[in-house]
Amino acid sequence: MSTQSSERLAADFAADVRRDLALVPKQLQSKYLYDALGSSLFEAICRLPWYRITRAEQRLLEAHAPAVVERITRDPETVPLIVELGCGSGEKIVILAEALQAAGRHGRVHLIDISRQALEQSERTLGRLRHISVVGHRDTYEVGLRRAAQQREAGSPVLVLLLGSNIGNFDAPAAGEFLRAIRGALVPGDALLLGADLVKTEDALRLAYDDPLGVTAAFNRNLLVRINRELGATFDLDGFRHVAVWNAEHSRVEMHLESLRAQTVRIDGWAVAFAEGERIWTESSYKYEPADIDQMGARAGFSTAAQWIDEDVRFALTLFAAA
Ligand code: AVI
């Protein structure tokens, strides 16, 4: 990644923190949870017995990767381009890459993630596959997707992967806008594979977002560690606790950091005051019904080509065609 984009990301972080801690209620954007330690903690979350999204999605991908690959390999002359938005450790895209290999085809992969560690790990995971070329973009989804789509070869189909219920971290207007932006980068014949978590019991959701080992709490509180390190702030970690709540009205799990006492935190020369019990809202994870997912896609200009559901975990993998 160029120094220029490193500097831009650092300046954006400082400006966003300053703006969002001045809001009522105070907020921080969930994309900032993913520094190197945050990415490792998220990987650990994906292995927790109570966070079942990742394994359910992997099972669905393994079962249906051939059907997904079939859609982008209809023309034997083309080399499909797969773009993954938020690549994690690369374990999911590797399932599709192997299905591509089983179909006897080459492919090009572009990985887009804000986390340097996630990109490096995915590149290592995919490095052993000789039939694909891999390019990483350390950037926001929007900028990375635009860059990747500009590099499509004429006539080659593009498959965008938005997995792991990453869509659930956007509120409805932002999710709609984001899906429209994805659609805008695609042409008829291209596809989007969307993994999205479904509404389930409140107990299951609480355990998934406030696990008994405290890994999710560490993931959330690490954002304060990051702000201390990168922005010279004075957050006292013992002064904030992790809170996860199911908001049924909005169909989302919310993560917050709650101040345990009245306190003032200095961030690079400015002061932020917290009342006892005041919260910083750090993440929303929206949960869907299967029909919501179809409608969300349709509103953005996609038609549902297939939808596969893990009924046990309640997780959906939806293959959309760019209509
Ligand atoms: C990345 N994202 C979809 C995760 C989620 O479930 O919202 C992040 C996460 N937050 C707490 N646990 C996992």
Side-chain angles (χ1 to χ4, degrees):
M1 194 184 49
S2 69
T3 318
Q4 198 191 5
S5 56
S6 262
E7 280 167 5
R8 177 171 54 76
L9 291 174
D12 287 353
F13 180 43
D16 288 347
V17 167
R18 185 165 195 148
R19 188 198 55 219
D20 294 345
L21 287 182
L23 297 173
V24 182
K26 291 181 170 65
Q27 298 175 32
L28 288 168
Q29 292 180 42
S30 60
K31 67 181 181 190
Y32 293 125
L33 292 162
Y34 302 90
D35 64 351
L37 180 55
S39 296
S40 296
L41 288 167
F42 177 60
E43 258 192 68
I45 288 172
C46 293
R47 289 167 200 261
L48 293 174
W50 308 280
Y51 190 83
R52 301 173 72 199
I53 287 181
T54 316
R55 288 177 299 278
E57 187 171 59
Q58 264 162 357
R59 283 195 296 274
L60 289 171
L61 277 171
E62 265 153 21
H64 303 292
V68 175
V69 159
E70 190 279 329
R71 265 203 98 78
I72 52 166
T73 52
R74 289 181 181 165
D75 179 346
E77 300 302 317
T78 58
V79 179
L81 171 63
I82 305 181
V83 181
E84 184 167 22
L85 305 176
C87 56
S89 58
E91 279 163 10
K92 294 169 189 171
I93 197 165
V94 97
I95 299 171
L96 288 164
E98 280 167 356
L100 203 57
Q101 189 173 35
R105 299 293 293 270
H106 287 262
R108 298 194 302 135
V109 166
H110 283 237
L111 304 167
I112 296 156
D113 208 299
I114 199 86
S115 155
R116 186 194 307 273
Q117 172 168 330
L119 283 172
E120 287 171 358
Q121 174 127 16
S122 296
E123 283 167 3
R124 273 198 299 277
T125 308
L126 290 165
R128 63 188 160 84
L129 299 172
R130 295 279 153 254
H131 65 294
I132 53 165
S133 62
V134 182
V135 177
H137 303 263
R138 184 175 174 226
D139 226 319
T140 58
Y141 292 163
E142 293 81 350
V143 174
L145 176 61
R146 253 199 322 273
R147 292 213 172 117
Q150 278 161 3
Q151 293 177 39
R152 80 150 69 220
E153 275 169 24
S156 287
V158 175
L159 168 67
V160 174
L161 307 180
L162 184 56
L163 299 173
S165 210
N166 284 343
I167 189 72
N169 295 137
F170 294 84
D171 64 18
E177 198 182 309
F178 182 39
L179 290 178
R180 278 191 299 279
I182 295 176
R183 176 63 190 83
L186 302 181
V187 299
D190 292 341
L192 164 68
L193 188 63
L194 181 79
D197 203 18
L198 302 178
V199 176
K200 57 197 99 242
T201 66
E202 189 169 344
D203 253 14
L205 289 167
R206 190 180 40 76
L207 279 168
Y209 289 86
D210 194 3
D211 63 90
L213 282 176
V215 182
T216 312
F219 172 65
N220 196 10
R221 294 166 81 234
N222 176 56
L223 185 47
L224 303 182
V225 178
R226 178 179 187 177
I227 296 173
N228 281 350
R229 186 185 61 243
E230 294 185 20
L231 304 181
T234 61
F235 278 105
D236 169 14
L237 286 197
D238 291 334
F240 290 85
R241 73 176 183 110
H242 164 72
V243 177
V245 285
W246 169 239
N247 182 330
E249 189 193 341
H250 293 285
S251 197
R252 67 187 180 216
V253 178
E254 298 170 2
M255 288 206 314
H256 299 263
L257 289 162
E258 186 177 290
S259 177
L260 295 171
R261 54 174 193 271
Q263 55 185 318
T264 299
V265 176
R266 307 218 137 258
I267 306 179
D268 201 17
W270 49 284
V272 193
F274 288 87
E276 182 180 343
E278 188 175 358
R279 291 176 175 179
I280 310 173
W281 183 6
T282 52
E283 184 190 70
S284 295
S285 282
Y286 285 82
K287 306 298 168 189
Y288 306 94
E289 294 299 342
D292 301 334
I293 299 169
D294 291 333
Q295 285 159 15
M296 204 163 46
R299 281 195 296 270
F302 290 102
S303 61
T304 303
Q307 187 170 68
W308 302 288
I309 293 178
D310 183 311
E311 288 297 352
D312 177 31
V313 173
R314 300 244 337 125
F315 187 88
L317 191 61
T318 307
L319 181 62
F320 286 114

Short mmCIF file of all heavy atoms in Angstrom, two decimals, residues 33-34 42 45 51 53 164-166 168-169 208-209 216 219 255 283-285 287, ligand 1:
data_model
loop_
_atom_site.label_atom_id
_atom_site.label_comp_id
_atom_site.label_asym_id
_atom_site.label_seq_id
_atom_site.Cartn_x
_atom_site.Cartn_y
_atom_site.Cartn_z
N LEU A 33 -12.55 -1.33 14.46
CA LEU A 33 -12.25 -2.43 15.39
C LEU A 33 -11.10 -3.30 14.87
O LEU A 33 -10.51 -4.06 15.62
CB LEU A 33 -13.49 -3.32 15.57
CG LEU A 33 -14.69 -2.70 16.30
CD1 LEU A 33 -15.96 -3.49 16.03
CD2 LEU A 33 -14.42 -2.63 17.80
N TYR A 34 -10.78 -3.15 13.56
CA TYR A 34 -9.89 -4.13 12.93
C TYR A 34 -8.46 -3.63 12.73
O TYR A 34 -7.97 -3.53 11.61
CB TYR A 34 -10.49 -4.59 11.59
CG TYR A 34 -11.86 -5.20 11.79
CD1 TYR A 34 -13.00 -4.41 11.74
CD2 TYR A 34 -11.99 -6.55 12.09
CE1 TYR A 34 -14.26 -4.96 11.98
CE2 TYR A 34 -13.22 -7.10 12.32
CZ TYR A 34 -14.36 -6.30 12.28
OH TYR A 34 -15.58 -6.86 12.52
N PHE A 42 -10.96 -10.94 16.20
CA PHE A 42 -12.13 -11.33 15.42
C PHE A 42 -11.97 -12.76 14.89
O PHE A 42 -12.93 -13.55 14.91
CB PHE A 42 -12.39 -10.35 14.26
CG PHE A 42 -13.54 -10.79 13.41
CD1 PHE A 42 -14.80 -10.94 13.97
CD2 PHE A 42 -13.36 -11.11 12.07
CE1 PHE A 42 -15.88 -11.39 13.20
CE2 PHE A 42 -14.42 -11.56 11.31
CZ PHE A 42 -15.69 -11.69 11.87
N ILE A 45 -12.90 -14.93 17.62
CA ILE A 45 -14.37 -14.95 17.78
C ILE A 45 -14.97 -16.00 16.83
O ILE A 45 -15.86 -16.76 17.19
CB ILE A 45 -14.97 -13.55 17.49
CG1 ILE A 45 -14.63 -12.59 18.62
CG2 ILE A 45 -16.48 -13.62 17.26
CD1 ILE A 45 -15.02 -11.13 18.35
N TYR A 51 -20.21 -18.36 18.50
CA TYR A 51 -20.31 -17.52 17.30
C TYR A 51 -20.29 -18.48 16.10
O TYR A 51 -19.25 -18.91 15.64
CB TYR A 51 -19.13 -16.54 17.24
CG TYR A 51 -19.28 -15.48 16.16
CD1 TYR A 51 -20.03 -14.33 16.38
CD2 TYR A 51 -18.68 -15.65 14.91
CE1 TYR A 51 -20.16 -13.36 15.39
CE2 TYR A 51 -18.82 -14.68 13.92
CZ TYR A 51 -19.56 -13.54 14.18
OH TYR A 51 -19.70 -12.58 13.19
N ILE A 53 -21.68 -18.24 12.98
CA ILE A 53 -21.82 -17.73 11.62
C ILE A 53 -20.77 -18.32 10.67
O ILE A 53 -21.09 -18.81 9.59
CB ILE A 53 -21.65 -16.18 11.65
CG1 ILE A 53 -22.88 -15.52 12.27
CG2 ILE A 53 -21.35 -15.63 10.28
CD1 ILE A 53 -22.81 -13.99 12.30
N GLY A 164 -19.77 -13.49 5.55
CA GLY A 164 -19.59 -13.33 6.99
C GLY A 164 -20.59 -12.40 7.64
O GLY A 164 -20.37 -11.93 8.75
N SER A 165 -21.68 -12.10 6.93
CA SER A 165 -22.68 -11.12 7.40
C SER A 165 -22.06 -9.74 7.60
O SER A 165 -22.53 -8.96 8.43
CB SER A 165 -23.39 -11.59 8.68
OG SER A 165 -24.70 -11.05 8.70
N ASN A 166 -21.04 -9.43 6.80
CA ASN A 166 -20.48 -8.07 6.85
C ASN A 166 -21.52 -7.02 6.50
O ASN A 166 -21.47 -5.90 6.99
CB ASN A 166 -19.29 -7.94 5.89
CG ASN A 166 -18.04 -8.61 6.44
OD1 ASN A 166 -17.95 -8.89 7.63
ND2 ASN A 166 -17.08 -8.89 5.58
N GLY A 168 -24.36 -6.89 7.55
CA GLY A 168 -25.11 -6.62 8.77
C GLY A 168 -24.51 -5.50 9.60
O GLY A 168 -25.14 -4.99 10.51
N ASN A 169 -23.28 -5.11 9.29
CA ASN A 169 -22.68 -4.00 10.04
C ASN A 169 -23.04 -2.64 9.45
O ASN A 169 -22.58 -1.60 9.94
CB ASN A 169 -21.16 -4.17 10.15
CG ASN A 169 -20.75 -5.40 10.96
OD1 ASN A 169 -19.84 -6.14 10.58
ND2 ASN A 169 -21.42 -5.65 12.07
N ALA A 208 -23.51 -15.10 21.36
CA ALA A 208 -22.61 -14.86 20.21
C ALA A 208 -21.88 -13.53 20.36
O ALA A 208 -20.74 -13.40 19.89
CB ALA A 208 -23.42 -14.89 18.91
N TYR A 209 -22.51 -12.54 21.00
CA TYR A 209 -21.91 -11.20 21.06
C TYR A 209 -21.44 -10.80 22.46
O TYR A 209 -20.94 -9.70 22.66
CB TYR A 209 -22.91 -10.16 20.50
CG TYR A 209 -23.02 -10.32 18.99
CD1 TYR A 209 -23.90 -11.23 18.42
CD2 TYR A 209 -22.15 -9.62 18.14
CE1 TYR A 209 -23.95 -11.43 17.05
CE2 TYR A 209 -22.19 -9.80 16.77
CZ TYR A 209 -23.09 -10.71 16.23
OH TYR A 209 -23.12 -10.90 14.87
N THR A 216 -15.13 -11.38 22.81
CA THR A 216 -15.82 -10.29 22.14
C THR A 216 -15.67 -8.98 22.93
O THR A 216 -15.52 -7.90 22.35
CB THR A 216 -17.32 -10.62 21.93
OG1 THR A 216 -17.40 -11.93 21.38
CG2 THR A 216 -17.99 -9.63 21.00
N PHE A 219 -12.33 -7.69 22.03
CA PHE A 219 -12.41 -7.16 20.66
C PHE A 219 -12.97 -5.74 20.68
O PHE A 219 -12.44 -4.81 20.04
CB PHE A 219 -13.30 -8.11 19.86
CG PHE A 219 -13.70 -7.68 18.48
CD1 PHE A 219 -12.75 -7.54 17.47
CD2 PHE A 219 -15.04 -7.45 18.16
CE1 PHE A 219 -13.13 -7.17 16.18
CE2 PHE A 219 -15.42 -7.10 16.89
CZ PHE A 219 -14.46 -6.95 15.89
N MET A 255 -23.30 -3.39 19.94
CA MET A 255 -22.19 -3.43 20.91
C MET A 255 -21.94 -2.00 21.38
O MET A 255 -21.94 -1.06 20.57
CB MET A 255 -20.89 -3.93 20.27
CG MET A 255 -20.87 -5.39 19.93
SD MET A 255 -19.18 -6.11 19.89
CE MET A 255 -18.20 -4.95 18.96
N GLU A 283 -20.85 -0.80 17.37
CA GLU A 283 -21.19 -1.69 16.23
C GLU A 283 -22.66 -2.07 16.28
O GLU A 283 -23.24 -2.24 17.34
CB GLU A 283 -20.35 -2.98 16.32
CG GLU A 283 -20.55 -3.92 15.13
CD GLU A 283 -19.91 -5.27 15.36
OE1 GLU A 283 -20.40 -6.03 16.21
OE2 GLU A 283 -18.91 -5.56 14.69
N SER A 284 -23.23 -2.21 15.08
CA SER A 284 -24.56 -2.83 14.94
C SER A 284 -24.39 -4.05 14.05
O SER A 284 -23.67 -3.99 13.05
CB SER A 284 -25.54 -1.89 14.25
OG SER A 284 -25.78 -0.77 15.05
N SER A 285 -25.07 -5.14 14.42
CA SER A 285 -25.07 -6.34 13.57
C SER A 285 -26.53 -6.66 13.26
O SER A 285 -27.22 -7.25 14.11
CB SER A 285 -24.47 -7.53 14.31
OG SER A 285 -23.09 -7.45 14.33
N LYS A 287 -29.76 -8.44 11.78
CA LYS A 287 -30.16 -9.84 11.53
C LYS A 287 -31.41 -9.82 10.66
O LYS A 287 -32.28 -8.96 10.85
CB LYS A 287 -30.43 -10.55 12.86
CG LYS A 287 -29.28 -10.47 13.86
CD LYS A 287 -28.00 -11.13 13.36
CE LYS A 287 -26.80 -10.81 14.20
NZ LYS A 287 -25.53 -11.27 13.62
C1 AVI B 1 -17.63 -8.78 10.91
N1 AVI B 1 -18.99 -8.77 11.47
C2 AVI B 1 -19.94 -9.32 10.54
C3 AVI B 1 -19.08 -9.36 12.83
C4 AVI B 1 -20.55 -9.36 13.29
O1 AVI B 1 -21.05 -10.43 13.65
O2 AVI B 1 -21.17 -8.30 13.25
C5 AVI B 1 -18.23 -8.62 13.81
C6 AVI B 1 -18.42 -9.06 15.23
N2 AVI B 1 -18.76 -8.28 16.22
C7 AVI B 1 -18.85 -8.97 17.32
N3 AVI B 1 -18.61 -10.25 17.05
C8 AVI B 1 -18.34 -10.31 15.74
#
